[in-house]
Every structure is written in structure tokens, then in C-alpha cells.
Amino acid sequence: MPVFAWKGETLEEYWDCTLKAITWPDGSGPDQIVDDGGDATLLIHWGVKAEKDPSFLKRKPSSEEERVILNLLKKTLKEDPKRWSKVAAGVKGVSEETTTGVHRLIQMAERGELLFPAINVNDSVTKSKFDNIYGCRHSLTDGIKRALDVMLSGKQAVVCGYGDVGKGCAEALKNERARVIVTEIDPICALQACMAGFTVATVEDALPTADLYVTTTGNCHIITAEHMKKMKDQAIVCNIGHFDNEIEVARLKAIPGIKIVEIKGHECPVHMYKFPDGHCIYLLAEGRLVNLGCATGHPSFVMSCSFANQVLAQIAIATRKHEVKVYRLPKELDEEVAALHLEKLGAKLTRLTQEQADYIGVKIEGPYKADYYRY
Ligand SMILES: NC(=O)c1ccc[n+]([C@@H]2O[C@H](COP(=O)([O-])OP(=O)(O)OC[C@H]3O[C@@H](n4cnc5c(N)ncnc54)[C@H](O)[C@@H]3O)[C@@H](O)[C@H]2O)c1
């Protein structure tokens, strides 16, 4: 199977690889896409947009990455001005792996811009409540330890965001006996963090004392350049959300007089940023996903749950006709994915009696919960 990726890619290389991965030898494209973060889907949608309205490519890019994508699209459209409409017309559907990619799909569907059906794999319970929580609980500290071999016990750690990923990260750091502070914008998640025993405060509150910052929000500008100027000497900063814009890396690099020292190279990127006042911080994985940049991501057992959902979604796309909407997999399949993984762990399910099933109003063979149940 061809692989269009390598560790330490530049942005240009990453997007060239994305283009190659969705370009068939005869110039056509895929009929089904398994996406993670929505980049392949975004390239096709932006390509179609640019074909319809060439001024789309002339707008001022809002980030370095956007500049790279717009340049790539300019190149592809010069070669074939109808390339992306042809590719989009051939796509029967996409199944999307992660929170950030699903946000993009839902936004496109709401704006009426979605070009093909999409299955939201992230919100299968056996994906987000496993990969996002337990996967990150495993791989966050793996990444930090491989990067710096630092003692986490006793350190003050700030976890920005207490969604699924944040919950896993906060628990991992708590298990290391770090002293964990959580930041949140959502009162429900903030209250959950309090009830789990964490201090809820703001990044600004934590700046004088915190040793480690982890962003998990899927949102931008969470750790700003101004924050990093005020951090403790040798504070560690990393991100486990999908994009590198949670930490203002570009603005950090642009601070006049800042010195950047590479501590470790692209196999496990660690950079020291020395500020003109003499203090320094360590940035892991250049602000990209620390569990992938500095470690090897989630272990295969939890990814097996995620990818079982991806396979079921791909079968659904291949075998059923869907309207152009964002779907989720039915709960029966979610329960099946969980059931398939139980044996490996030596777990034995209790089987309902008919009387019990009737009493709680479910079938003996499931599904056992209503769609709105939150787990
Ligand atoms: N690295 C990985 O292996 C991995 C795995 C799964 C998901 N992800 C990515 O992690 C990110 C988070 O995913 P999730 O499933 O936890 O999403 P989520 O929506 O469950 O959680 C994000 C949380 O961040 C909070 N938040 C938003 N803006 C904030 C701000 N300014 N300050 C503090 N908190 C803020 C939200 O209220 C929310 O509770 C996404 O980008 C997702 O794609 C990464």
C-alpha cells in the first residue's frame, strides 16, 4: 500500500502528500475517503470553490498553512481548471475520524457547501469516549517523557480544555501525581473538572507557577505569545489538539530577540525558546500533536476501536445510498464494536432476562441505551 507521509514533513510536503494521496494514476480521484482532521475533504471542497470563484485564491491567507493550500490549489487549477469538480463528483462519501474534522463537516453542511455524504466516526461512543480519552491518557505522558525525560510528579500542570481529550490528559497527569489545573470556557466541563478534583482557573492565573501546559481544545490562540513571555523559566508547552494553532508558535518565533535552540530533531522535536529577559521555555513537537510528534500516538488496542468504526462507516458508504448530510453510525454498530473488543480483555457480559429487558424497555440483544445517553 503506498504511503504518502514521512516524519518531519514541511507544510508544503504535507499538502503535496495529501494531493498525491487523492490523485489516482489516471488523474482521477477516490470514490471513498477515510479522513482524519478533514484535510483531504477540505482540499477537494476548496478546489471546487476556487474553480467556481477564482477570487477565492486571491484572498489574504489567515495562516501559513492556508497560504500553502492556496498556492497548491493555484498550481492544480493551472494544470486542469475542472480537476476538483471531477474529483468531487466521483466521491461517494467520507468517514471522518476526529472532533476537528467533524466540526468542519458540520459547518460545511450548515452553510450548504458539503459536496458528498459524510459519516461522523468521532461521535461513535466507541471512538470519542475511548480513543480521545484513554488513547490520550496513554500517549500524552508518553510524548512528554520521550521528549524531555522529565519528572511529572509534583509539577504544576495546566490542561487547557476538559472535553474528551482534556479529561484523558488531566487524568494521566493526575496519575503521575502532577498538580493539575484545568482551564475551560464551558461551565458544564468546568464543573466536571471540579468534581473530578481539579482546580479550575485561567491560563493567566497559572502563569507565575505552572511548569507544564497542554492544549486540548481544538480551538485557536489558547497559549499566546504574551502568555509564553510571562511563563516560569523552563516551562514546557505542548499541544494534543488537532492543529498547531492552539499555541501561537508563529508569533512566538517573531518575538524580537528570541533565540531558538533545537534540543532534539524531527524524530522527537524539542525546541528551547530563549527570551531576551533570559528565561526560556521548551516547545514540544513544534506545537503540533505531541503524542504523534514526540511519541507513536495511541496504542493499537484503542485504535482498533476507532478503526472498526471507520470500517463500518466505509461499508455503509459503499453499500447504501446516502443524502448529502453528516451521519453517525447506528448504536447497534457502536455496541458491536465494543462487544468485539471485550473478549480480548477477558470480560464477560451479563445477559438480560426477557423479564428484565421488558422492564427497562430494551431488546435482549440491544441497543441498550437511547441515542441521547451520554455515557
Ligand atoms: N492527539 C490525538 O491523538 C487526538 C485524539 C482525539 C482528538 N484529538 C483532537 O483534540 C481536540 C479536542 O478533541 P475533544 O474530542 O476533546 O473535543 P471536545 O469538544 O470534547 O473538547 C474540547 C474542549 O475545549 C474547550 N475549549 C474550547 N475553547 C477553549 C478555551 N479557549 N479555553 C479552554 N477550553 C476551551 C471546550 O469547551 C471543550 O470542552 C480536537 O482538535 C480533536 O480533533 C486529538
Side-chain angles (χ1 to χ4, degrees):
M1 184 187 286
V3 175
F4 301 93
W6 56 90
K7 211 160 177 169
E9 288 168 333
T10 61
L11 276 175
E12 275 87 359
E13 287 166 342
Y14 171 78
W15 283 97
D16 277 343
C17 283
T18 308
L19 174 65
K20 286 203 175 85
I22 56 172
T23 306
W24 268 217
D26 67 0
S28 67
D31 51 0
Q32 299 195 190
I33 300 173
V34 179
D35 215 346
D36 185 338
D39 286 348
T41 307
L42 176 129
L43 196 60
I44 297 172
H45 280 74
W46 280 21
V48 171
K49 235 184 197 175
E51 278 176 16
K52 289 190 183 147
D53 174 12
S55 72
F56 180 75
L57 296 178
K58 292 197 187 111
R59 69 198 177 136
K60 195 170 172 283
S62 64
S63 65
E64 176 57 11
E65 184 150 30
E66 200 171 308
R67 186 188 63 76
V68 172
I69 305 169
L70 295 179
N71 281 345
L72 182 69
L73 286 174
K74 277 181 206 155
K75 208 173 77 188
T76 61
L77 290 180
K78 232 181 238 162
E79 288 158 13
D80 179 357
K82 289 278 158 242
R83 171 191 190 128
W84 294 108
S85 330
K86 285 184 270 180
V87 171
V91 179
K92 286 178 69 175
V94 56
S95 58
E96 170 54 47
E97 171 87 359
T98 201
T99 317
T100 291
V102 168
H103 284 164
R104 279 179 175 175
L105 288 170
I106 290 171
Q107 283 171 348
M108 287 194 285
E110 282 171 355
R111 290 196 297 256
E113 293 172 0
L114 190 64
L115 297 172
F116 35 77
I119 299 187
N120 164 3
V121 166
N122 182 66
D123 289 300
S124 291
V125 180
T126 47
K127 198 285 178 180
S128 54
K129 299 291 171 188
F130 288 80
D131 170 323
N132 301 24
I133 300 179
Y134 309 125
C136 291
R137 188 177 69 183
H138 169 96
S139 59
L140 170 73
T141 46
D142 188 16
I144 298 170
K145 287 177 186 175
R146 290 191 204 210
L148 287 172
D149 204 7
V150 67
M151 178 88 170
L152 292 169
S153 171
K155 295 269 188 314
Q156 195 178 83
V158 180
V159 175
C160 302
Y162 196 70
D164 289 327
V165 171
K167 287 180 175 71
C169 293
E171 194 186 345
L173 292 164
K174 187 178 182 177
N175 289 345
E176 291 284 342
R177 304 295 187 270
R179 292 169 296 133
V180 182
I181 294 173
V182 165
T183 76
E184 251 300 342
I185 49 152
D186 177 338
I188 297 177
C189 297
L191 188 60
Q192 284 181 313
C194 290
M195 300 303 271
F198 299 111
T199 301
V200 176
T202 63
V203 174
E204 289 75 16
D205 291 334
L207 287 173
T209 48
D211 303 288
L212 166 68
Y213 298 81
V214 183
T215 56
T216 78
T217 68
N219 201 349
C220 52
H221 310 298
I222 301 301
I223 300 286
T224 64
E226 284 69 32
H227 288 147
M228 290 183 274
K229 272 186 200 164
K230 292 185 194 144
M231 283 177 185
K232 250 173 89 172
D233 190 31
Q234 301 201 30
I236 302 162
V237 183
C238 62
N239 165 45
I240 194 167
H242 189 73
F243 287 123
D244 61 354
N245 57 0
E246 297 211 25
I247 302 166
E248 287 186 346
V249 179
R251 289 195 59 223
L252 173 69
K253 285 182 180 164
I255 292 174
I258 195 130
K259 285 204 185 80
I260 308 171
V261 182
E262 184 180 275
I263 309 288
K264 286 190 187 176
H266 72 265
E267 284 294 321
C268 180
V270 180
H271 291 86
M272 182 176 78
Y273 284 76
K274 210 166 169 41
F275 290 79
D277 69 358
H279 90 285
C280 74
I281 63 157
Y282 294 104
L283 179 69
L284 311 189
E286 300 182 78
R288 303 201 179 110
L289 303 182
V290 65
N291 58 336
L292 292 176
C294 295
T296 51
H298 298 350
S300 59
F301 184 79
V302 83
M303 291 316 288
S304 166
C305 292
S306 305
F307 293 149
N309 281 291
Q310 282 282 16
V311 170
L312 292 168
Q314 287 294 317
I315 293 172
I317 293 168
T319 54
R320 264 179 272 138
K321 189 135 181 61
H322 292 86
E323 283 173 50
V324 179
K325 286 203 301 205
V326 184
Y327 295 84
R328 274 189 296 145
L329 287 169
K331 192 162 289 288
E332 287 87 332
L333 295 182
D334 221 347
E335 289 180 357
E336 189 184 331
V337 171
L340 288 170
H341 287 82
L342 283 176
E343 193 188 332
K344 173 79 182 158
L345 300 177
K348 197 167 170 198
L349 272 181
T350 301
R351 196 169 161 79
L352 282 172
T353 64
Q354 190 60 59
E355 190 188 1
Q356 288 174 323
D358 294 343
Y359 191 73
I360 60 171
V362 299
K363 293 191 201 126
I364 287 182
E365 62 283 2
Y368 301 101
K369 299 283 193 293
D371 264 346
Y372 51 80
Y373 186 80
R374 295 191 178 94
Y375 295 86

